[in-house]
Amino acid sequence: MHYYMIFIITVILHKLSNALDTTICTNDGTCECRNNNVSCTKYIQEAPFILPNNTTTIYFVDVPITAINNNTFVNGNLQSLTWVASKIMIIDALYNCNELQYLDLSQNNIQKLSDDTFKNCFKLEYVDLSYNQISILSDNLFSYTKMLETVKLEYNTFNIITQNIFKENINIKKLSIGNSNFFILAENAMSNLNKLEYLNIENSGIEYLNKSSFGDHNKNLHHILLNNCTNLKSIDNALIKSAPNIETIELKNCGSIYSLPPNIISLKNLKSLQLFDTEIQPKCHNGWFSQWYNNKNTIVIGYQGYLQFKENINNHDCPAKIYYFSDTNTLTLTKKGIINCMAYGNPRPAITWLVPGGLTFHENKEADVNIYNHPDVHNWDLKQIDNQPILISKNGSLHILRMLRNSIGNYTCYASNEHGNDSKIVEVHLDSGIFYNIKMNAIILGITSAMGFLILTILCCAFKLLLIRLNCIKKRSKPTEAEMETTEQNDV
């Protein structure tokens, strides 16, 4: 009897051992396991999934499961988890995700995520939750994932991005948040994303893209995608100004845009402005576009309605309006410089510059009856002035051929036509770096001269001592008391 019990226990333990050794890789071949990677397609099994030891990467497609939690996997040390198109509805707090860096749960049925979902995922860099049914984004959802660089949330059902969702995620570079229900981007919602390079808000109901949602530090932003935003009315001009390195703006199929930001013309790295199936309303505040579109450096793609736009806007009486100017310029001493002042009006406005020193420069002065008979360049008493180191171009910009000290100060640009006028003041400064270099060079020269004089004095003294040692010259002896008394008597 005793031996029989031992035999039964041994058989049971053997069966248990075999069960524990049976991993997801020993199924009917629907899963492939190689080099710490597990890949399954159309695989049906109830959790838990027993993984080979040291598994780091999982790739599941159409592997249905209702919920993911801490009991979903046995073994493994996951760094990458892709589980897509699998009807997942619930994601519990993932406490065993200390090493997880990549997470793709797109194309599922996830509806809500708790504050603790990614609480222990400290190394997470990539999250894709697109094509789900997430209706609410908790303010603390990404509070613990400070290393995030890519977040994809498009094609869900949430309607707002609050100011706290990304407050801890300063490393995000790529962000996609568009969906048909999304229409509120709260103030300061993006203000911490100073490293943001790529922003996708496609297919959303947003009407205004304002700088107040982004803050002042957008120099790393290169791409903005707003395709299929049919409710979009305007993009804040100040936002474009705060993001000078933008390369791509996509506005395909956006209906009729009321206001296009004129600071687009200041984007030196802009490679394309895509306007397929999008119209720009022919209003006076968009008149600048008709001038910029014909610029040889302009890269506008897919705008079929330009000729109609130009014809319509030419039928408006538009007052002169300065749409782009350099509010502050820092120029280098003795070098060339450009001060921008571009204006639109119908008819084309006159441009007048008032520069330090009292000189006045005119361009297209015939458009203003008050100045049409003025000399092109004159002083305060309308005396013609020739041979000035400043020129004014047809677009209104001022070219300084040689920057001098007397060139610094406030420059006033004045645009005018028969329907109205506008003016802007531009501050021009000298580059402080050149003065710093001059100061440092003077200090170095002074120190060098002092050291040279000290070394020369030491060498002279040493040479004199050498001559005395060689008896080439006699050392001057100290006078005796008798000699000093004789000298004093002689002086008397």
Side-chain angles (χ1 to χ4, degrees):
M1 185 67 178
H2 177 69
Y3 293 104
Y4 180 75
M5 291 297 295
I6 292 176
F7 176 76
I8 295 297
I9 293 172
T10 301
V11 171
I12 293 173
L13 291 175
H14 180 70
K15 293 291 185 181
L16 289 172
S17 177
N18 288 339
L20 290 174
D21 289 338
T22 301
T23 69
I24 196 173
C25 300
T26 57
N27 54 37
D28 58 1
T30 55
C31 291
E32 180 180 351
C33 302
R34 184 181 301 173
N35 299 327
N36 299 328
N37 298 338
V38 176
S39 177
C40 301
T41 302
K42 295 184 178 180
Y43 176 61
I44 299 176
Q45 177 188 312
E46 295 295 329
F49 295 88
I50 301 175
L51 304 172
N53 289 327
N54 300 320
T55 298
T56 59
T57 301
I58 291 179
Y59 186 85
F60 285 178
V61 178
D62 194 10
V63 181
I65 192 172
T66 301
I68 296 178
N69 53 45
N70 283 324
N71 298 319
T72 302
F73 299 109
V74 176
N75 300 331
N77 187 23
L78 294 183
Q79 298 177 12
S80 174
L81 172 59
T82 299
W83 200 335
V84 300
S86 300
K87 301 178 181 179
I88 301 170
M89 298 178 64
I90 300 172
I91 307 294
D92 289 339
L94 303 177
Y95 292 108
N96 297 327
C97 63
N98 295 3
E99 300 298 322
L100 192 64
Q101 299 175 20
Y102 182 100
L103 178 63
D104 183 355
L105 298 175
S106 60
Q107 303 177 57
N108 284 292
N109 298 324
I110 302 170
Q111 298 179 8
K112 187 178 180 180
L113 299 167
S114 71
D115 288 354
D116 296 332
T117 300
F118 306 122
K119 187 172 183 179
N120 286 343
C121 304
F122 305 113
K123 296 184 179 181
L124 200 59
E125 297 178 1
Y126 180 102
V127 172
D128 187 350
L129 296 169
S130 61
Y131 293 91
N132 278 283
Q133 300 176 26
I134 302 173
S135 59
I136 298 176
L137 295 174
S138 167
D139 281 355
N140 296 316
L141 179 60
F142 300 117
S143 293
Y144 304 97
T145 55
K146 298 183 180 181
M147 297 182 68
L148 270 179
E149 294 185 1
T150 300
V151 178
K152 301 184 71 175
L153 297 168
E154 69 268 31
Y155 292 101
N156 279 281
T157 61
F158 59 84
N159 58 22
I160 183 173
I161 296 291
T162 68
Q163 64 178 351
N164 294 320
I165 291 178
F166 302 118
K167 64 180 182 296
E168 301 293 342
N169 308 112
I170 61 174
N171 292 309
I172 290 181
K173 296 180 179 179
K174 296 183 178 180
L175 179 63
S176 300
I177 55 177
N179 74 75
S180 58
N181 293 324
F182 171 58
F183 61 91
I184 299 176
L185 188 60
E187 187 173 348
N188 294 320
M190 307 285 181
S191 59
N192 287 336
L193 306 185
N194 298 336
K195 297 181 181 179
L196 187 64
E197 299 176 0
Y198 175 94
L199 177 63
N200 182 343
I201 317 182
E202 293 179 330
N203 304 292
S204 71
I206 195 166
E207 294 184 9
Y208 303 97
L209 197 62
N210 295 321
K211 179 178 176 292
S212 60
S213 299
F214 291 82
D216 299 319
H217 307 289
N218 303 301
K219 293 184 178 181
N220 291 308
L221 187 58
H222 296 303
H223 308 281
I224 300 179
L225 280 65
L226 292 162
N227 301 320
N228 303 314
C229 294
T230 54
N231 293 329
L232 185 66
K233 295 181 179 178
S234 69
I235 301 173
D236 194 345
N237 198 41
L239 171 60
I240 301 300
K241 185 177 181 180
S242 70
N245 297 312
I246 290 178
E247 298 177 10
T248 303
I249 301 175
E250 295 189 12
L251 294 167
K252 296 180 286 187
N253 191 31
C254 287
S256 180
I257 295 179
Y258 176 75
S259 178
L260 199 66
N263 266 323
I264 286 177
I265 70 173
S266 69
L267 301 177
K268 297 179 180 180
N269 298 323
L270 186 65
K271 297 178 180 178
S272 69
L273 171 62
Q274 299 187 24
L275 294 170
F276 291 98
D277 299 319
T278 297
E279 295 297 327
I280 301 172
Q281 294 187 20
K283 306 291 185 180
C284 287
H285 58 258
N286 290 324
W288 66 271
F289 183 75
S290 64
Q291 294 180 342
W292 181 68
Y293 185 88
N294 290 320
N295 190 308
K296 63 180 180 180
N297 298 321
T298 300
I299 304 178
V300 178
I301 300 175
Y303 187 55
Q304 299 94 342
Y306 172 71
L307 293 178
Q308 186 64 46
F309 169 83
K310 186 175 181 180
E311 180 181 347
N312 290 338
I313 202 167
N314 285 340
N315 292 327
H316 291 277
D317 294 329
C318 296
K321 181 69 176 179
I322 297 173
Y323 59 84
Y324 174 65
F325 70 102
S326 311
D327 47 359
T328 301
N329 271 32
T330 300
L331 305 179
T332 303
L333 192 66
T334 73
K335 302 295 183 180
K336 295 181 180 180
I338 298 177
I339 309 174
N340 291 310
C341 181
M342 300 180 186
Y344 174 79
N346 191 25
R348 186 167 76 92
I351 301 294
T352 298
W353 278 98
L354 305 178
V355 307
L359 295 183
T360 301
F361 295 77
H362 296 294
E363 165 61 27
N364 192 38
K365 59 187 179 181
E366 294 78 10
D368 190 336
V369 296
N370 296 313
I371 60 172
Y372 76 95
N373 60 349
H374 289 195
D376 291 338
V377 183
H378 61 83
N379 58 14
W380 62 273
D381 61 355
L382 299 181
K383 182 180 179 181
Q384 175 75 36
I385 304 295
D386 299 317
N387 301 323
Q388 284 297 311
I390 298 178
L391 299 175
I392 184 171
S393 62
K394 290 186 177 180
N395 68 2
S397 296
L398 205 62
H399 295 255
I400 300 177
L401 304 181
R402 181 178 173 82
M403 184 65 185
L404 302 174
R405 286 179 178 269
N406 59 6
S407 301
I408 63 174
N410 290 337
Y411 289 67
T412 301
C413 177
Y414 187 83
S416 58
N417 65 9
E418 60 187 272
H419 303 298
N421 57 71
D422 192 16
S423 64
K424 301 292 181 183
I425 296 177
V426 179
E427 296 181 6
V428 175
H429 306 277
L430 280 178
D431 185 0
S432 59
I434 191 168
F435 295 106
Y436 175 79
N437 292 336
I438 293 173
K439 183 178 179 180
M440 291 303 299
N441 290 337
I443 293 174
I444 293 172
L445 179 61
I447 293 175
T448 303
S449 300
M451 292 296 295
F453 179 77
L454 179 61
I455 293 171
L456 182 61
T457 302
I458 293 173
L459 290 175
C460 289
C461 292
F463 184 66
K464 181 179 179 180
L465 288 175
L466 179 63
L467 293 178
I468 292 174
R469 289 289 183 91
L470 297 176
N471 294 320
C472 293
I473 61 174
K474 293 182 178 181
K475 182 178 180 180
R476 185 176 179 180
S477 58
K478 186 177 180 180
T480 63
E481 292 183 4
E483 290 175 338
M484 292 178 64
E485 291 177 357
T486 303
T487 302
E488 290 178 355
Q489 289 176 0
N490 291 336
D491 292 339
V492 173

